[in-house]
Amino acid sequence: MAMLVSSSSSSSSSSPHSLSFTRSLHNALSPFSITFTLTRSHSPKRAPPSFKATLITNSDSFQVGRAIGSYGFMNVTSYSAFPSALEGNDYSYADFGAGLKTQDVGEGSVKIRLYEGRVSQGPLRGTPVIFKVYPGKRAGGIEADMMAANELNAHSFLQSNSKGIVQNLVLLVGGFETITGEQWLAFRDDGKYSAADYAKFASDRVSRDRASGELSSWNRFEQEQSIKRKQIFVIKLLQGAMRGLAYMHDNNRLHQSLGPFSVMLNTISEREARYLIPRLRDLAFSVDVSYSELEEDPRSLADGLWRRATAAGAFTRMEKRAFAIADDIYEAGLLFAYMAFVPFCEAGAMDGLALQRLLENTFQLDLEATREYCMEDDRLAKAVEFLDLGDGAGWELLQAMLNADFRKRPIAQAVLNHRFMTGDVL
């Protein structure tokens, strides 16, 4: 499994005919008509107009602004079992934290840079964009070239759907390759926040309010309203992420790097939840799971996925496709767990890796046992309260998405239809 540092990830695919970014740029970005929704204001309240435009492949049509960040990858190659002392009922958080040190984590070789920019020519002139810059084959090796080509191919395919583009995916505006071999992908700038940014903001606020004693000074009605706003915001965030994933699955594409860093938000204000539009990004590891593309290729970014499928007993094309889709649902379940815990807890009380190990290693995906453990920690009380809504509807859905048997996990649309995800529990 691979994780993006500043963007979460796993494994993915690229057919032998799409390993080259240059070839993909020629094939996937040959002009075709798609519908862009142009946003000239970052205000989440303004409804933007739509019009026809083509993907931009000329670097002269862009203006590059300041650098805004970079990220790389972590390869999580194994999870060590917990010490036998923790196998009973007497769990301590200190012991749990110590167990994290046994995890085998390595740093990936591909480093990606991010820049602000805008379109400087044509019908999209003035449109703000975010450039995602891959180092290219010369500096980053064949893996970097494969990742850039795969992300370009995935977006161009999904945006060419004759039925229209779902609003819960980031929009590719164009792409080009520089003379030094760097590969630049330009995405419309619909917000610079991620779900991880929101979770950190929310948990820091919980810590700040506790430290200042502000929570004890609130009246009960104010506290309830604040918690309710947070619950509504998180559910709407998860709804958007799952709509994006359902659209991808309906079009035979996996995400394979779904996590809190790979969900982009246009606002992190809980009072603006009605205007929130979550969008999935980071499709460098996306996999084509149409039956004609399920041939295994040792050079493919999806090699790890197919090895996991075989290990899980998926041998036929139909079984492998079912496993691959269920693998995305499992990642979505981990995202669900992250958003159910981190924003509701004090900073440092829980993080993504600690939560994943708690679920997978300590309690072997037994969510009932996980709930009993979390109930004993006051720092996790609001997260338990959130998942308890609707007589435990959150735990019920989380258990289904993280089912150890991939055949029993729900599809994305079924997750969206669950009473917890529809917001009926509120």
Side-chain angles (χ1 to χ4, degrees):
M1 178 184 293
M3 294 183 188
L4 290 175
V5 182
S6 255
S7 264
S8 165
S9 155
S10 192
S11 307
S12 169
S13 136
S14 199
S15 74
H17 302 294
S18 63
L19 301 182
S20 164
F21 181 86
T22 304
R23 181 181 297 151
S24 298
L25 193 64
H26 174 75
N27 294 337
L29 292 185
S30 55
F32 56 84
S33 184
I34 60 175
T35 301
F36 280 129
T37 302
L38 177 60
T39 305
R40 295 191 182 278
S41 168
H42 283 200
S43 170
K45 301 179 182 180
R46 182 174 300 180
S50 298
F51 64 93
K52 291 286 185 179
T54 55
L55 292 177
I56 304 169
T57 62
N58 185 354
S59 61
D60 292 335
S61 297
F62 295 103
Q63 181 177 343
V64 180
R66 68 185 181 94
I68 58 174
S70 63
Y71 57 80
F73 298 82
M74 288 192 305
N75 294 312
V76 183
T77 56
S78 69
Y79 291 92
S80 301
F82 258 63
S84 57
L86 294 182
E87 292 176 359
N89 296 322
D90 189 18
Y91 301 103
S92 80
Y93 198 83
D95 291 336
F96 171 67
L100 291 175
K101 299 175 184 177
T102 65
Q103 191 169 32
D104 187 4
V105 179
E107 186 177 358
S109 60
V110 179
K111 297 292 185 294
I112 294 169
R113 308 193 311 277
L114 300 174
Y115 293 86
E116 287 181 335
R118 66 182 181 89
V119 179
S120 57
Q121 300 177 15
L124 292 178
R125 182 177 180 179
T127 301
V129 298
I130 298 293
F131 290 107
K132 186 174 184 178
V133 185
Y134 285 91
K137 188 185 301 185
R138 191 180 306 173
I142 185 65
E143 185 180 15
D145 193 51
M146 290 169 63
M147 289 167 59
N150 200 45
E151 183 155 19
L152 187 156
N153 287 339
H155 277 286
S156 58
F157 171 79
L158 291 167
Q159 292 178 196
S160 66
N161 191 318
S162 59
K163 296 180 181 179
I165 308 169
V166 70
Q167 68 173 349
N168 298 113
L169 293 178
V170 296
L171 193 66
L172 179 69
V173 175
F176 57 88
E177 188 166 18
T178 67
I179 58 174
T180 61
E182 288 188 335
Q183 296 133 349
W184 290 59
L185 296 178
F187 297 93
R188 192 180 63 188
D189 183 359
D190 285 313
K192 297 182 178 65
Y193 305 110
S194 70
D197 294 328
Y198 163 71
K200 183 180 186 305
F201 171 80
S203 63
D204 285 347
R205 187 173 59 190
V206 171
S207 297
R208 187 170 60 251
D209 290 344
R210 285 189 182 278
S212 65
E214 186 173 333
L215 288 178
S216 60
S217 67
W218 287 5
N219 63 48
R220 185 166 184 173
F221 176 77
E222 289 175 332
Q223 290 185 42
E224 290 176 351
Q225 288 301 107
S226 177
I227 291 296
K228 181 71 72 177
R229 282 194 297 270
K230 182 176 292 187
Q231 292 172 346
I232 291 171
F233 190 94
V234 170
I235 286 180
K236 186 158 186 185
L237 187 158
L238 293 170
Q239 286 174 345
M242 290 308 302
R243 287 194 187 102
L245 192 65
Y247 176 83
M248 293 186 68
H249 289 181
D250 286 346
N251 287 277
N252 292 314
R253 289 296 189 277
L254 304 184
H255 190 287
Q256 280 295 285
S257 54
L258 189 58
F261 288 102
S262 58
V263 182
M264 191 183 77
L265 310 177
N266 60 327
T267 180
I268 56 173
S269 171
E270 290 163 1
R271 294 182 182 273
E272 294 183 336
R274 63 184 297 184
Y275 307 113
L276 173 65
I277 303 177
R279 293 179 172 89
L280 300 187
R281 63 180 181 184
D282 297 324
L283 303 191
F285 292 92
S286 180
V287 181
D288 184 347
V289 289
S290 53
Y291 286 109
S292 62
E293 297 293 330
L294 287 180
E295 294 294 337
E296 295 185 33
D297 175 10
R299 298 172 297 172
S300 167
L301 291 170
D303 182 50
L305 171 65
W306 302 131
R307 281 191 279 106
R308 293 198 307 276
T310 301
F315 300 106
T316 68
R317 287 190 178 190
M318 185 175 294
E319 289 171 339
K320 287 180 179 179
R321 184 177 186 276
F323 174 87
I325 291 173
D327 197 56
D328 252 10
I329 296 298
Y330 187 89
E331 285 189 347
L334 292 177
L335 171 64
F336 178 16
Y338 181 95
M339 298 310 304
F341 276 88
V342 178
F344 292 91
C345 303
E346 295 179 62
M350 187 64 76
D351 60 49
L353 283 175
L355 181 58
Q356 186 171 349
R357 285 187 61 90
L358 185 71
L359 293 166
E360 293 179 343
N361 293 64
T362 309
F363 296 109
Q364 301 291 304
L365 301 178
D366 182 343
L367 272 296
E368 184 176 344
T370 303
R371 180 183 180 277
E372 291 177 3
Y373 168 82
C374 293
M375 286 180 64
E376 299 302 315
D377 191 333
D378 289 342
R379 298 173 302 169
L380 309 179
K382 292 301 179 183
V384 173
E385 182 181 305
F386 178 53
L387 292 168
D388 277 349
L389 290 173
D391 195 23
W395 296 105
E396 175 186 277
L397 178 58
L398 193 55
Q399 182 70 81
M401 297 175 73
L402 297 180
N403 197 303
D405 185 347
F406 74 88
R407 299 169 184 85
K408 296 180 180 179
R409 293 174 202 155
I411 63 172
Q413 191 58 53
V415 173
L416 280 168
N417 293 338
H418 190 275
R419 60 198 176 98
F420 188 87
M421 202 64 69
T422 61
D424 289 348
V425 294
L426 297 172

